């Protein structure tokens, strides 16, 4: 009768340990049914599930392994696995898998405990926990440090809306971000990232900055905020705001562009995405003048925004052509994906306003970035505590895989 045994190896990690132990097993033609290893602070935890051939005896194999482990200075335990339990484990491989990503400045036990509790309450099981962020120095007091832990979970999810609501509540209470997404082939095969511009790639609303130059800042900001909350139609709000800018000298655009900073992590994110072959698009309700500057600086592949109408060196208060509103953004995203031969599941979209929601929900991974509550509720994912480069964690990249 064949035997199935789970071997657990723990102790100080050292080169050649796995090779020595599996080499010992190889002498008896043992089959390895599963194997997994983790190293935390130079401490090894290795599990090997083996099947001993019918013609072999387990006792000599175990005896030889124990002797080898003693020489290596590690601990071994052996657990026989009944065939019925093994068959049940095999049958579970078809269950749905999801990824839960915790984003914070620092990872705490309270955060992990809260997330783990929600996972358990929804009848999901944690298979693997992985730290994606780099090792943190005890002397690192940088205010913009980032930390990320990823949970791979398995099980049938009865109520996706419920678990999303629970994670949003924890995120708000603890000041973190928690992403919950299906772990499928498309997650590891994204190819296009589309960004809103104002308050997403850049840390300001351009039209508000122009309004300050025109002396109508308070009026325009009020309209902008109402539009971002989804209280008024974007086209209507843009026409109202632009009308207040009529007569503004066109050379003001350059002065405003010079003082608007990039959003935290934007340049690092795009540099790494392009390094890994992603196409990058700006699809914005803002203005092409500012988008072109970003395009030149960052190597953006596609730019769609509103073209300010200028006559006699001054803004007319109108745009040239159709206004890029919420519906237009979604239409443009579909067109780019089709042109590139991509499924929308291979697309990431990032934005902060209500006019971004159709685009965010069309994409396989839609992210509300530092957005108003109505947008966070309506989007699939939300980031509110870290910079744009934390998106790299949501697509499974580790700090060691990226460049600064």
């Amino acid at each position: 009768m064949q035997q199935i045994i789970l071997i657990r190896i723990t102790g100080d990690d050292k080169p050649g340990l796995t090779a020595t132990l599996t080499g010992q097993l190889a002498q008896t033609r043992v089959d390895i049914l599963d194997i997994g290893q983790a190293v935390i602070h130079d401490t090894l935890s290795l599990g090997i599930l083996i099947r001993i051939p019918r013609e072999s005896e387990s006792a000599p194999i175990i005896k030889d392994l124990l002797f080898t482990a003693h020489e290596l200075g590690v601990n071994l335990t052996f657990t026989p696995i009944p065939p019925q339990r093994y068959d049940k484990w095999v049958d579970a491989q078809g269950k749905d898998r999801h990824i839960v990503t915790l984003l914070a400045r620092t990872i705490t036990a309270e955060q992990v405990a809260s997330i783990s509790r929600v996972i358990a309450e929804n009848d999901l099981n944690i298979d693997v926990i992985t730290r994606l962020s780099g090792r943190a120095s005890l002397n690192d007091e940088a205010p913009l440090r980032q930390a990320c832990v990823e949970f791979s979970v398995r099980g049938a999810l009865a109520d996706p809306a419920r678990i999303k609501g629970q994670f949003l509540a924890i995120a708000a209470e603890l000041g973190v971000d928690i992403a919950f997404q299906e772990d499928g082939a498309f997650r590891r095969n994204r190819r296009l990232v589309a960004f809103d511009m104002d308050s997403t790639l850049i840390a300001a609303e351009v039209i508000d900055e122009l309004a300050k130059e025109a002396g109508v800042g308070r009026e325009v900001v009020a309209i902008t905020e109402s539009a971002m909350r989804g209280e008024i139609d974007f086209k209507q709000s843009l026409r109202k705001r632009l009308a207040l800018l009529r007569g503004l000298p066109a050379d003001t655009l350059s002065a405003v562009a010079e003082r608007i900073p990039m959003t935290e992590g934007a340049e690092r994110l795009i540099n790494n995405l392009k390094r890994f072959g992603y196409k990058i698009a700006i699809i914005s309700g803002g203005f092409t003048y500012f988008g072109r500057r970003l395009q030149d600086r960052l190597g953006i592949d596609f730019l769609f925004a509103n073209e300010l109408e200028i006559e006699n060196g001054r803004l007319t208060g109108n745009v040239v052509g159709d206004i890029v509103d919420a519906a237009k953004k979604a239409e443009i995203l579909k067109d780019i994906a089709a042109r590139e031969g991509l499924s929308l599941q291979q697309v990431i979209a990032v934005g902060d306003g209500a006019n971004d929601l159709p685009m965010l929900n069309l994409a396989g991974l839609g992210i509300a970035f530092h957005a108003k509550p109505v947008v966070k509720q309506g989007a699939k994912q939300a980031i509110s505590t870290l910079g744009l480069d934390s998106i790299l964690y949501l697509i499974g990249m580790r700090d060691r895989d990226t460049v600064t």
Side-chain angles (χ1 to χ4, degrees):
M1 177 180 177
Q2 63 181 340
Q3 291 179 278
I4 300 174
I5 297 176
L6 174 61
I7 307 169
R8 295 185 180 93
I9 303 103
T10 58
D12 293 338
D13 189 31
K14 61 191 69 175
L17 192 150
T18 301
T20 302
L21 291 170
T22 54
Q24 182 70 56
L25 289 170
Q27 296 179 23
T28 52
R29 295 187 301 160
V30 162
D31 293 333
I32 293 180
L33 302 175
D34 195 19
I35 185 168
Q37 175 177 307
V39 177
I40 299 178
H41 195 60
D42 295 328
T43 299
L44 171 74
S45 178
L46 171 62
I48 307 176
L49 187 65
I50 66 170
R51 176 172 56 191
I52 299 175
R54 284 184 170 86
E55 63 272 17
S56 300
E57 295 289 336
S58 61
I61 295 173
I62 291 173
K63 179 182 176 182
D64 291 342
L65 276 176
L66 285 170
F67 181 78
T68 303
H70 176 74
E71 290 186 322
L72 293 170
V74 296
N75 301 311
L76 262 64
T77 62
F78 301 88
T79 305
I81 305 297
Q84 305 93 309
R85 181 179 167 190
Y86 177 78
D87 290 340
K88 184 177 180 181
W89 174 76
V90 171
D91 291 341
Q93 67 183 329
K95 287 188 177 180
D96 294 339
R97 303 186 68 88
H98 293 83
I99 295 292
V100 182
T101 310
L102 166 61
L103 304 169
R105 296 296 180 185
T106 303
I107 302 298
T108 69
E110 182 181 15
Q111 297 161 5
V112 175
S114 298
I115 290 172
S116 302
R117 184 178 62 251
V118 169
I119 291 170
E121 287 173 354
N122 286 272
D123 296 323
L124 302 177
N125 185 66
I126 299 172
D127 282 345
V128 181
I129 302 176
T130 307
R131 172 175 51 83
L132 299 184
S133 50
R135 299 177 183 179
S137 167
L138 294 176
N139 299 319
D140 185 4
E141 300 296 335
L144 299 182
R145 65 183 290 187
Q146 296 187 150
C148 174
V149 171
E150 178 184 276
F151 303 76
S152 176
V153 304
R154 182 178 58 202
L157 185 62
D159 189 349
R162 176 175 180 258
I163 197 169
K164 178 185 177 181
Q166 289 174 308
F167 282 145
L168 280 174
I170 293 171
E173 179 185 353
L174 301 183
V176 300
D177 293 315
I178 304 168
F180 181 76
Q181 53 183 315
E182 183 180 345
D183 186 16
F186 285 122
R187 177 176 180 263
R188 297 179 293 276
N189 195 30
R190 315 284 190 198
R191 286 294 176 267
L192 169 67
V193 187
F195 294 94
D196 176 43
M197 181 170 62
D198 296 26
S199 296
T200 301
L201 278 178
I202 57 176
E205 290 289 331
V206 167
I207 197 165
D208 294 348
E209 298 302 312
L210 293 174
K212 293 175 186 176
E213 297 293 327
V216 291
R218 185 174 300 176
E219 298 94 318
V220 167
V221 166
I223 299 171
T224 299
E225 290 181 348
S226 181
M228 291 299 99
R229 291 192 298 267
E231 295 170 351
I232 57 175
D233 172 74
F234 180 79
K235 285 185 178 180
Q236 177 188 6
S237 73
L238 184 62
R239 290 193 180 100
K240 283 185 176 182
R241 288 176 288 175
L242 284 174
L244 293 170
L245 301 182
R246 185 179 296 117
L248 184 69
D251 57 13
T252 304
L253 301 180
S254 177
V256 168
E258 289 296 329
R259 72 169 185 249
I260 295 179
M262 297 276 292
T263 300
E264 177 198 341
E267 200 152 8
R268 177 173 178 260
L269 171 62
I270 292 178
N271 286 343
N272 278 285
L273 290 173
K274 292 190 71 66
R275 177 169 166 256
F276 287 105
Y278 285 73
K279 291 293 183 72
I280 312 295
I282 292 175
I283 306 177
S284 173
F287 306 117
T288 54
Y289 177 89
F290 300 88
R292 289 190 194 102
R293 293 173 72 103
L294 287 176
Q295 188 172 33
D296 293 341
R297 176 175 176 177
L298 300 174
I300 304 295
D301 299 289
F302 307 100
L303 169 62
F304 296 89
N306 295 303
E307 183 77 32
L308 288 167
E309 185 179 68
I310 298 173
E311 292 181 357
N312 301 319
R314 294 182 178 274
L315 273 62
T316 66
N318 297 310
V319 295
V320 179
D322 295 335
I323 290 175
V324 178
D325 62 357
K328 188 67 175 178
K329 285 188 174 190
E331 178 186 331
I332 292 169
L333 186 67
K334 285 193 287 188
D335 288 346
I336 297 175
R339 189 185 316 170
E340 293 296 308
L342 300 174
S343 160
L344 287 168
Q345 287 297 313
Q346 295 177 275
V347 175
I348 301 170
V350 189
D352 72 297
N355 64 319
D356 295 311
L357 273 174
M359 177 174 75
L360 300 187
N361 288 323
L362 195 64
L365 177 60
I367 304 167
F369 181 74
H370 289 250
K372 299 292 190 295
V374 65
V375 184
K376 290 171 65 175
Q377 290 286 345
K380 297 172 185 175
Q381 312 295 342
I383 294 176
S384 299
T385 60
L386 302 185
L388 269 178
D389 52 344
S390 61
I391 291 172
L392 294 168
Y393 296 134
L394 299 193
I395 55 178
M397 290 190 188
R398 301 169 184 256
D399 280 353
R400 69 186 186 211
D401 301 325
T402 61
V403 294
T404 56

